[in-house]
């Protein structure tokens, strides 16, 4: 076993998790107490509390940090996975360029719009064409903001537009393909009903939405556009958290 593995507390995933938790807990402790992460203070050594008040404050702060890690570290692991797949998509964007990615999106969405024109009434075709335009623009914006770089820009703009570009294709495809309704639209309806009863009930928002809107046709696409932004901010935030814990190479 190598020295590096021994320091990490074991090889493989277990060792990596233990090293992450140790680093995070040490960083938490250093918010209040000096010299807690060890490696940066190898000459002076790790600070230890001596008096009873110091010990009480020290161990209380340590327990709070442990509880916080139980909540935050699973989100960090989700951030690692999201960062991996986001890197794959970003690699495709790098190879094709913004113009290439936008061109492919335009081709796919243009084809779906033509299929809708052949199968659906004009008003529904116009709605799907509008969704296609939103998806194409979202693809271009996600690629552009990703290339612009910067953690804040990625979290605020790149991830939400990328989620929009990912969510809309199956929804719009289900609108023009009856065999997909049970797979895409029916679960979407059930999710919307759950959200209205459990999330959007504050201030009577659910009653307002039920009274003024019907979830049919292009409204499914609009719903998922609305969901994609907070979800994109969430995934962007967990990736930012993962980068703080273990910066990508």
């Amino acid at each position: 076993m190598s020295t590096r593995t021994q320091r990490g507390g074991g090889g493989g995933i277990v060792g990596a998790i233990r090293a992450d938790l140790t680093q995070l807990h040490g960083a938490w402790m250093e918010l209040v107490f000096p010299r807690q992460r060890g490696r940066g203070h190898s000459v002076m050594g790790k600070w230890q509390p001596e008096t009873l008040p110091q010990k009480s404050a020290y161990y209380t702060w340590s327990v709070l940090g442990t509880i916080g890690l139980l909540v935050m570290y699973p989100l960090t692991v989700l951030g690692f996975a999201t960062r991996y797949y986001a890197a794959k998509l970003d690699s495709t964007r790098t190879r094709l360029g913004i113009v290439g990615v936008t061109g492919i999106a335009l081709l796919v969405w243009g084809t779906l719009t033509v299929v809708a024109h052949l199968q659906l009434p004009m008003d529904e075709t116009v709605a799907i064409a509008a969704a296609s335009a939103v998806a194409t623009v979202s693809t271009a914006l996600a690629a552009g903001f990703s290339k612009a770089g910067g953690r804040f820009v990625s979290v605020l703009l790149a991830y939400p537009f990328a989620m929009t570009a990912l969510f809309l294709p199956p929804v719009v495809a289900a609108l023009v393909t009856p065999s997909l309704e049970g797979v895409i639209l029916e679960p979407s309806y059930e999710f919307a009903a759950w959200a209205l009863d459990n999330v959007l009930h504050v201030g009577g928002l659910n009653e307002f939405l039920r009274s003024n809107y019907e979830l049919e046709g292009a409204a499914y696409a609009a719903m998922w556009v609305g969901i994609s932004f907070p979800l994109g901010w969430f995934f962007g935030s967990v990736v930012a958290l993962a980068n703080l814990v273990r910066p990508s190479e």
Side-chain angles (χ1 to χ4, degrees):
M1 182 180 294
S2 66
T3 303
R4 182 178 179 181
T5 302
Q6 290 175 344
R7 289 177 180 176
I13 296 176
V14 174
I17 292 175
R18 186 173 299 174
D20 287 340
L21 293 176
T22 300
Q23 178 182 351
L24 286 171
H25 193 267
W28 167 261
M29 295 301 294
E30 281 193 345
L31 292 175
V32 176
F33 303 97
R35 306 197 313 271
Q36 293 300 301
R37 282 183 282 188
R39 292 182 182 179
H41 310 284
S42 58
V43 176
M44 300 180 66
K46 182 179 179 180
W47 182 86
Q48 297 290 340
E50 297 179 356
T51 65
L52 181 59
Q54 286 179 345
K55 290 180 180 180
S56 298
Y58 185 87
Y59 291 114
T60 299
W61 190 249
S62 177
V63 169
L64 290 175
T66 301
I67 295 173
L69 284 176
L70 292 177
V71 176
M72 296 301 294
Y73 193 72
L75 295 178
T76 305
V77 174
L78 178 61
F80 291 148
T82 304
R83 184 175 68 182
Y84 173 80
Y85 290 106
K88 296 292 185 183
L89 293 175
D90 192 60
S91 176
T92 301
R93 191 270 306 164
T94 301
R95 289 196 303 269
L96 297 177
I98 297 175
V99 174
V101 170
T102 304
I104 292 176
L106 185 61
L107 176 63
V108 172
W109 285 106
T111 301
L112 277 174
T113 303
V114 171
V115 172
H117 176 66
L118 296 175
Q119 296 183 0
L120 300 176
M122 180 56 66
D123 56 342
E124 295 186 21
T125 300
V126 171
I128 290 175
S132 300
V134 170
T136 302
V137 172
S138 296
T139 301
L141 290 174
F145 288 126
S146 177
K147 184 177 181 180
R151 185 175 299 169
F152 179 77
V153 172
S154 295
V155 173
L156 184 65
L157 297 172
Y159 277 92
F161 282 116
M163 296 302 293
T164 299
L166 290 174
F167 281 158
L168 279 182
V171 175
V172 175
L175 293 175
V176 298
T177 308
S179 61
L180 294 177
E181 289 184 8
V183 180
I184 304 296
L185 300 187
E186 291 181 8
S188 296
Y189 185 89
E190 294 174 0
F191 174 78
W194 175 87
L196 288 172
D197 293 334
N198 296 277
V199 180
L200 301 177
H201 64 280
V202 178
L205 181 59
N206 55 348
E207 296 300 328
F208 172 79
L209 292 173
R210 283 193 169 104
S211 301
N212 293 275
Y213 300 98
E214 293 184 4
L215 188 58
E216 60 181 16
Y220 283 101
M223 181 187 80
W224 282 108
V225 170
I227 293 173
S228 65
F229 273 77
L231 198 59
W233 291 327
F234 169 75
F235 281 114
S237 297
V238 297
V239 169
L241 179 61
N243 287 333
L244 287 175
V245 175
R246 195 185 302 165
S248 59
E249 297 180 358

